[in-house]
Amino acid sequence: MIGYLKGKVLYSTADYALIETGGVGYEVYCSASAFSKMTDGAQCEVYTYMQISEANGAVLYGFSSIEEKNMFLKLISVSGVGPKMGIAVLSAMDISALAAAIATQDVKRLSSVKGLGKKTAERIILELREKVGAMGQSTTVADGLPAAAVTDGDEDAVVALMSLGFTRAESVKAVAAAKAAGATGVEQIIMSALKNM
C-alpha cells in the first residue's frame, strides 16, 4: 500500500493532482486542505490511502496530515460512507470542525455537506461516537487526575479529540490547558487544544 508521497505537482484539476515521484506520476484525489498546500510545478507531500476495487482498480486519496487521514479512515468505516464521500466531508470542513460536529451531534451541520443526507449524517455521529466511547475509558488520566475532573461540557471536546486518535489522557489534559488559556465553547476549545498537541 502507498501511504505517503513526496514529489512534484505536475498539474492539478478540480478533482485530483498528478504528483511525480521517482519518475512515476500518481493521480491523487485530494481533500481541500491537501489541495490548498499544492502549487503546479512545486514540491508537495501528501499522506495517502489506496482503495482497490474491481470497478475502479486502484485509486489514491490524499490528505494534508496524518490526523486528516485518520479522520478519513474513521469516516469510511461508517456504513454507507465511501472514499469519495469521505473526501467530500473533509473538503467541506476541517477536522476540528468535523470532530466538533460529531461530538455535539450536529446533524444539521454534517448534512450540509453536498451529497450527505440526514440519515448518513446521523449514522456517522452514532458510529463514530460509539467507537470513540469504546476507546480507553480509564478512570484516571495524566498526572493522576480523576477522569471525573472533566465536566459534562468538556466531555464533547474530549470525545472530539479522541476521535482524532489522541488518548483520553492526552485529550483531557489538552482540554484543561485550552480552558486555562481562555478558550470557551466546544469548537474553540478543540481548536486551541489541537494547536498545542
Side-chain angles (χ1 to χ4, degrees):
M1 294 297 246
I2 299 169
Y4 171 84
L5 285 176
K6 184 175 185 178
K8 182 179 179 181
V9 180
L10 297 181
Y11 69 86
S12 55
T13 69
D15 296 320
Y16 69 89
L18 183 65
I19 301 171
E20 186 269 328
T21 181
V24 179
Y26 296 90
E27 283 185 2
V28 185
Y29 292 83
C30 298
S31 68
S33 176
F35 268 131
S36 73
K37 296 182 178 180
M38 293 182 186
T39 306
D40 286 4
Q43 291 290 311
C44 77
E45 57 181 343
V46 289
Y47 291 89
T48 58
Y49 167 77
M50 179 185 277
Q51 178 199 34
I52 300 174
S53 66
E54 281 187 36
N56 300 320
V59 180
L60 275 177
Y61 295 91
F63 311 95
S64 62
S65 66
I66 196 69
E67 292 81 13
E68 188 178 46
K69 178 180 175 179
N70 288 338
M71 181 58 90
F72 171 82
L73 293 174
K74 289 184 188 327
L75 282 170
I76 64 171
S77 73
V78 175
S79 174
V81 179
K84 285 185 179 177
M85 179 53 67
I87 284 286
V89 171
L90 289 171
S91 292
M93 59 180 76
D94 64 28
I95 57 174
S96 58
L98 175 57
I102 292 168
T104 59
Q105 301 184 48
D106 193 343
V107 175
K108 187 175 180 182
R109 186 160 186 192
L110 267 180
S111 57
S112 69
V113 175
K114 187 177 180 182
L116 183 65
K118 185 181 176 187
K119 286 188 177 179
T120 306
E122 289 171 343
R123 197 176 308 123
I124 288 171
I125 289 168
L126 176 69
E127 291 190 27
L128 293 189
R129 278 186 67 96
E130 283 180 354
K131 282 184 180 180
V132 169
M135 292 169 65
Q137 296 282 345
S138 67
T139 55
T140 61
V141 296
D143 302 328
L145 294 172
V150 178
T151 67
D152 289 342
D154 300 340
E155 186 63 23
D156 286 340
V158 171
V159 168
L161 292 171
M162 289 172 63
S163 74
L164 296 174
F166 298 105
T167 66
R168 182 167 183 83
E170 291 169 332
S171 301
V172 169
K173 198 171 182 179
V175 166
K179 288 186 72 179
T184 57
V186 175
E187 279 191 51
Q188 196 178 43
I189 290 170
I190 292 168
M191 287 184 210
S192 176
L194 283 171
K195 285 178 188 172
N196 298 312
M197 291 182 95

